Amino acid sequence: MQTYHNTVSGKQTEAKEHQEIFNPATAVSLGMAPLNSEHDVDLAVEAAKHAQKSWASVSDQERRETVARIAQVLEDNSAYLSGLITQEQGKPLSGPGSRFEMQACVGWTQVPSKLELPPEIVYEDDERKDVLYRQPQGVVAAIAPWNWPLMIAIWQIIPAIRMGNTVVLKPSEYTPIATLEMVRLINQVLPAGVLNTVSGDGRIGAALTSHPDINKIMFTGSEATGRRIIVASSKNLAPITLELGGNDAAILMPGTDASAVAEGLFWGAFLNAGQTCACIKRLYVHEDDYDVVVAALGNVARQTPVGDGMDEGNLMGPLQNKMQYQKVKELVDDARGNGCDIMEFGDIPSTGYFLPITLVGNIRDGQRLVDEEQFGPALPIIRYQTLDDAVASANHLSAALGASVWANSAEEAESTALQLEAGTVWINQHGAIHPMVPFGGNKASGYGVEFGIEGLKAVTQPRIISIKK
């Protein structure tokens, strides 16, 4: 059985304890992943701190060139890492699956390698000139989730090192292997200590985020864990970028052609079996359009094969872990017990954490499947009478990561989009993130942004040089 390792100061490290990782589709063992101690966290942070000043002193152009080399490493190893993602996380190789995730890793690495953030003259007159410089924050603690384990890790790693920071990354304890292997490969082109890893559960995450030598925290995950990280950061006063998931609402405008938007709505909701922060989690449909929309979504669902992601014919995989499987099943069972219409599609394997593609009708605000983020392949479809009703329902929860409005024309949707409380509101698409477009949540979905120039600024600290003439 293969044993995987952390990377600290450019070297593979041994751990005293390990955990076995299993394929969520087949229950086949993938190997042993390291379980670290708080002492291991100290060593990784020390390595990052030791490397940071020399890395920051490297020219901006050289750092950009290094990041471009990382993109090539990711490209060259895409097939290997895609296979690991599918076996460990569950998403299929095909469609919007693990190959898609690796393409995103490459793209979100290439773009920062081409961006510049030069000094900016913020004020000048006859007597003075004030110039704003962007300096690295130091050592970044990055906590990555299990749903897009490599892509979201790249979102955290690349801007940080691009701007002269060093990183200690903790992958999710559910999906450590592919991430550890990606970091091992990236280290082939990085100076020792620039990118390090630690592995384990929330105890290790807490030790990392509260460490006195951490200067910035980046976290994607649950609201509950995000709140604990905020408390932990009081020990080092590190600024935080938090993406805490969402319960994204989509509003279908009255009279919208259901056949034209059905596929976009479907994948907006069921990408990665619904295990995506910015997936449609609630769909609001006008009462006059309800039956047509449900039928159109059902037609797409019937044509979507579910099964082991290593089979090229499958487009949807399992839930990643037993905890999530049981949560989604419980929410659907609750809706069933409350008289909702449960429409299930597809033949699912008997082995693995598979649930059928599920549309849930005759449901309303206040029921658990609507008010709680399901993070799985079950979509509640809620009738509304007026657009004001739909907007009020969409905004009534504390989650506010994304939202979308669907209409026969974009112009028809804009005024409604402006009323929705979310970090991003898409029109006639959902979850359409881009490496140049800032992305982040509102309300209980977190704060701070990632991507593009604003994402680079988020991993720096401003320094003003004020000159008397």
Side-chain angles (χ1 to χ4, degrees):
M1 182 181 298
Q2 185 166 354
T3 298
Y4 295 88
H5 304 282
N6 282 295
T7 302
V8 176
S9 197
K11 299 176 182 178
Q12 298 280 276
T13 62
E14 297 291 337
K16 292 182 179 179
E17 297 183 40
H18 297 83
Q19 64 170 333
E20 194 169 4
I21 302 297
F22 297 91
N23 184 325
T26 65
V28 171
S29 175
L30 300 180
M32 304 299 289
L35 289 174
N36 287 135
S37 66
E38 285 91 342
H39 177 64
D40 295 324
V41 173
D42 290 339
L43 295 176
V45 174
E46 182 182 352
K49 184 179 179 182
H50 177 75
Q52 196 274 318
K53 289 192 182 301
S54 60
W55 178 241
S57 68
V58 167
S59 72
D60 188 69
Q61 180 61 33
E62 187 174 343
R63 286 202 302 270
R64 289 171 59 192
E65 290 171 356
T66 300
V67 171
R69 287 196 293 274
I70 292 173
Q72 189 60 55
V73 169
L74 295 172
E75 183 81 57
D76 293 344
N77 292 278
S78 181
Y80 169 62
L81 293 173
S82 294
L84 283 180
I85 293 169
T86 292
Q87 293 173 79
E88 184 178 39
Q89 197 278 332
K91 61 171 63 73
L93 289 168
S94 305
S98 60
R99 293 186 183 121
F100 171 84
E101 180 165 357
M102 284 309 303
Q103 290 171 358
C105 288
V106 173
W108 259 268
T109 303
Q110 290 173 333
V111 168
S113 75
K114 299 172 183 176
L115 296 179
E116 297 185 21
L117 196 55
E120 176 187 356
I121 298 174
V122 293
Y123 182 78
E124 186 172 17
D125 62 14
D126 293 339
E127 299 180 351
R128 63 184 290 166
K129 180 170 75 170
D130 297 86
V131 185
L132 187 155
Y133 291 82
R134 292 282 175 178
Q135 302 293 325
Q137 288 175 312
V139 179
V140 175
I143 313 290
W146 51 258
N147 58 331
W148 295 90
L150 273 64
M151 181 181 73
I152 294 179
I154 285 293
W155 293 354
Q156 298 169 338
I157 293 165
I158 296 301
I161 64 176
R162 160 71 184 84
M163 297 310 297
N165 303 283
T166 55
V167 176
V168 180
L169 171 73
K170 189 194 90 66
S172 169
E173 62 269 33
Y174 291 110
T175 54
I177 289 175
T179 311
L180 295 180
E181 282 294 275
M182 179 180 73
V183 170
R184 177 182 66 81
L185 292 165
I186 288 174
N187 264 274
Q188 294 174 356
V189 296
L190 277 176
V194 172
L195 175 58
N196 313 273
T197 58
V198 292
S199 304
D201 58 14
R203 176 177 56 89
I204 298 305
L208 178 59
T209 54
S210 64
H211 197 284
D213 290 327
I214 290 298
N215 308 110
K216 166 77 180 183
I217 300 168
M218 303 182 77
F219 171 75
T220 297
S222 71
E223 178 185 340
T225 303
R227 291 182 182 277
R228 289 195 291 271
I229 287 174
I230 292 170
V231 173
S233 72
S234 66
K235 297 182 179 180
N236 51 33
L237 295 180
I240 313 174
T241 299
L242 289 175
E243 198 266 81
L244 303 181
N247 195 339
D248 290 12
I251 297 175
L252 196 64
M253 300 281 283
T256 300
D257 181 357
S259 62
V261 300
E263 190 164 345
L265 283 171
F266 179 86
W267 287 111
F270 292 103
L271 177 69
N272 195 23
Q275 299 167 110
T276 299
C277 297
C279 261
I280 297 172
K281 310 286 174 49
R282 302 173 282 152
L283 176 59
Y284 292 91
V285 178
H286 191 270
E287 56 188 1
D288 293 342
D289 304 321
Y290 179 85
D291 291 337
V292 174
V293 171
V294 170
L297 288 172
N299 286 338
V300 180
R302 288 187 190 92
Q303 299 171 37
T304 304
V306 179
D308 182 358
M310 294 301 287
D311 182 338
E312 294 277 3
N314 289 324
L315 294 178
M316 193 174 299
L319 280 297
Q320 198 285 319
N321 55 74
K322 183 177 182 180
M323 172 193 69
Q324 196 60 36
Y325 170 85
Q326 291 178 330
K327 177 182 178 181
V328 179
K329 192 174 185 300
E330 178 183 323
L331 291 174
V332 173
D333 287 344
D334 179 79
R336 182 182 284 110
N338 280 287
C340 299
D341 298 329
I342 309 298
M343 296 159 275
E344 297 178 338
F345 301 88
D347 296 324
I348 60 173
S350 57
T351 300
Y353 297 128
F354 289 96
L355 289 173
I357 300 169
T358 305
L359 305 177
V360 180
N362 189 29
I363 194 168
R364 62 187 182 278
D365 293 345
Q367 294 189 266
R368 288 186 63 195
L369 184 60
V370 177
D371 287 7
E372 299 179 28
E373 183 184 18
Q374 66 274 51
F375 221 64
L379 177 65
I381 306 173
I382 305 109
R383 304 173 194 255
Y384 72 84
Q385 292 184 326
T386 70
L387 274 175
D388 286 344
D389 293 337
V391 170
S393 290
N395 289 339
H396 89 282
L397 298 178
S398 61
L401 182 60
S404 59
V405 183
W406 301 73
N408 291 325
S409 70
E411 293 76 13
E412 183 184 354
E414 285 184 14
S415 62
T416 300
L418 287 168
Q419 298 176 59
L420 294 177
E421 298 169 356
T424 301
V425 181
W426 293 279
I427 293 177
N428 288 339
Q429 57 185 354
H430 197 102
I433 55 175
H434 188 282
M436 279 299 295
V437 179
F439 178 72
N442 294 168
K443 299 197 296 190
S445 288
Y447 48 76
V449 297
E450 300 172 281
F451 311 163
I453 292 295
E454 294 304 314
L456 294 185
K457 291 179 180 178
V459 290
T460 64
Q461 52 187 337
R463 182 169 301 166
I464 299 291
I465 302 299
S466 186
I467 304 164
K468 181 180 179 179
K469 292 184 175 179

